[in-house]
């Protein structure tokens, strides 16, 4: 079993972003002295992107397909039986810095109490992307995803608090309440105890749910030395279908963990 396994759930991926993700993963793995097993989980519409891929030489690649679009979390769960000592849940629109896995491996070795590591993410232009969050109220999600600009500006301090801008910086932050599913590095023993993602979530908020459940089993850490670039966008910018999925996922999250309106 590989010391590190990596799973990517693919649904109509953008070929250029997927190639960049895998190229960055290869560089980061080589720097860390790792040769991870790779799980490419095809939820549909990925054949063209996969056909043109040049996968890292010598890697064991598991291509899982034929199950249909079962959702983000259930897709990643398909890799759980084959996961190694550490398991990286990775988005196909995220690029690791060359030393990301070197830093992650060193941190996990030095801190056995940490079962889930979150990185420092940036946009293409270098601005910080606040992927760790405090547990939101419904109003926070409305502000961040759907409110007009003037209302967001009026509530800028509230949004900054939700995004933990007061504590996210260049120091390790222990126990952020919520971390993003774009990059979750787990000790696999912890992830297996949790049973992976809750399969009742289709898309959106499955990572928030998993974060809260993980905090009952282990410690979470935001590690700024582990750097990534994330090209992801907000649900509201992806059309009505994604807005519906976002609202459905939010309702399921609040039904499970308690409603907070304001």
């Amino acid at each position: 079993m590989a010391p590190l396994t990596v799973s990517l759930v693919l649904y109509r991926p953008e070929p250029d972003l997927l190639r960049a993700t895998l190229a960055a993963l290869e560089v980061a793995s080589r720097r860390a002295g790792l040769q991870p097993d790779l799980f490419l989980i095809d939820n549909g519409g990925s054949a063209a992107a996969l056909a043109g891929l040049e996968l890292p030489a010598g890697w064991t690649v598991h291509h899982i397909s034929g199950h249909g679009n079962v959702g983000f979390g259930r897709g990643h769960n398909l890799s759980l039986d084959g996961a190694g000592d550490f398991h990286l849940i990775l988005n196909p629109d995220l690029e690791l810095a060359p030393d990301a896995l070197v830093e992650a491996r060193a941190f996990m070795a030095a801190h056995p109490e940490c079962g889930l590591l979150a990185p420092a993410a940036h946009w293409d232009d270098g601005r910080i992307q606040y992927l760790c969050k405090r547990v939101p109220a419904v109003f926070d999600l409305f502000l961040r995803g759907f409110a007009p600009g003037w209302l967001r500006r009026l509530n800028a301090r509230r949004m900054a608090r939700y995004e933990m801008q007061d504590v996210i910086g260049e120091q390790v932050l222990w126990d952020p309440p919520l971390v993003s599913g774009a990059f979750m590095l787990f000790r696999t023993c912890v992830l297996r105890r949790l049973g992976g993602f809750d399969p009742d979530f289709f898309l959106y908020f499955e990572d928030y749910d998993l974060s809260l459940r993980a905090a009952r089993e282990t410690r979470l850490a935001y590690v700024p030395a582990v750097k990534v670039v994330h090209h992801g966008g907000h649900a509201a910018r992806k059309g009505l279908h994604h807005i519906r999925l976002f609202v459905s996922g939010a309702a399921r999250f609040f039904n499970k963990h308690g409603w907070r309106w304001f």
Side-chain angles (χ1 to χ4, degrees):
M1 185 64 67
L4 175 68
T5 48
V6 183
S7 66
L8 289 85
V9 167
L10 309 175
Y11 180 73
R12 299 178 182 175
E14 295 186 30
D16 290 345
L17 288 180
L18 178 58
R19 282 194 292 271
T21 295
L22 293 177
L25 175 63
E26 182 180 17
V27 171
S29 299
R30 190 167 59 247
R31 287 270 186 103
L34 296 167
Q35 188 168 300
D37 282 8
L38 180 64
F39 289 83
L40 296 176
I41 300 149
D42 183 2
N43 273 10
S46 308
L50 289 171
L53 281 182
E54 294 185 9
L55 295 168
W59 286 24
T60 299
V61 179
H62 307 271
H63 182 201
I64 302 175
S65 62
H67 50 272
N69 188 9
V70 296
F72 179 85
R74 286 182 66 187
H76 276 293
N77 287 351
L78 294 174
S79 68
L80 192 52
D81 286 345
D85 297 332
F86 293 89
H87 188 66
L88 175 59
I89 293 161
L90 187 66
N91 264 23
D93 60 359
L94 186 147
E95 296 179 54
L96 280 66
D99 289 330
L101 293 180
V102 171
E103 297 289 348
R105 192 177 193 183
F107 185 87
M108 294 299 250
H111 299 280
E113 70 274 26
C114 178
L116 171 55
L117 182 151
H122 295 80
W123 298 103
D124 295 346
D125 61 7
R127 290 177 299 124
I128 189 168
Q129 189 174 153
Y130 294 96
L131 294 185
C132 293
K133 305 287 194 301
R134 292 185 169 98
V135 178
V138 174
F139 187 56
D140 296 317
L141 299 181
F142 167 74
L143 285 172
R144 190 167 187 269
F146 308 109
W150 66 266
L151 187 56
R152 287 200 301 271
R153 290 190 293 272
L154 195 62
N155 288 274
R157 290 180 63 183
R158 183 185 182 106
M159 282 292 88
R161 185 183 185 283
Y162 169 51
E163 295 181 339
M164 304 188 73
Q165 294 184 25
D166 55 325
V167 290
I168 293 292
E170 294 303 315
Q171 302 299 318
V172 171
L173 175 67
W174 283 99
D175 305 311
L178 307 172
V179 304
S180 170
F183 178 115
M184 289 175 139
L185 179 61
F186 271 99
R187 293 188 193 274
T188 300
C189 58
V190 172
L191 187 57
R192 286 204 173 112
R193 286 202 303 270
L194 295 168
F197 288 99
D198 182 341
D200 288 339
F201 289 86
F202 182 78
L203 183 64
Y204 299 116
F205 296 95
E206 62 281 288
D207 49 356
Y208 283 17
D209 169 72
L210 187 57
S211 297
L212 292 178
R213 291 191 289 119
R216 301 170 193 155
E217 296 280 341
T218 188
R219 296 198 71 184
L220 286 62
Y222 164 82
V223 183
V226 180
K227 299 185 185 302
V228 304
V229 175
H230 183 222
H231 303 282
H234 297 300
R237 299 174 187 168
K238 297 179 181 178
L240 184 58
H241 178 60
H242 276 267
I243 292 173
R244 288 173 177 161
L245 291 175
F246 182 89
V247 171
S248 175
R252 189 172 297 280
F253 175 80
F254 287 120
N255 280 337
K256 184 172 182 177
H257 296 285
W259 285 84
R260 296 175 60 243
W261 291 96
F262 292 99

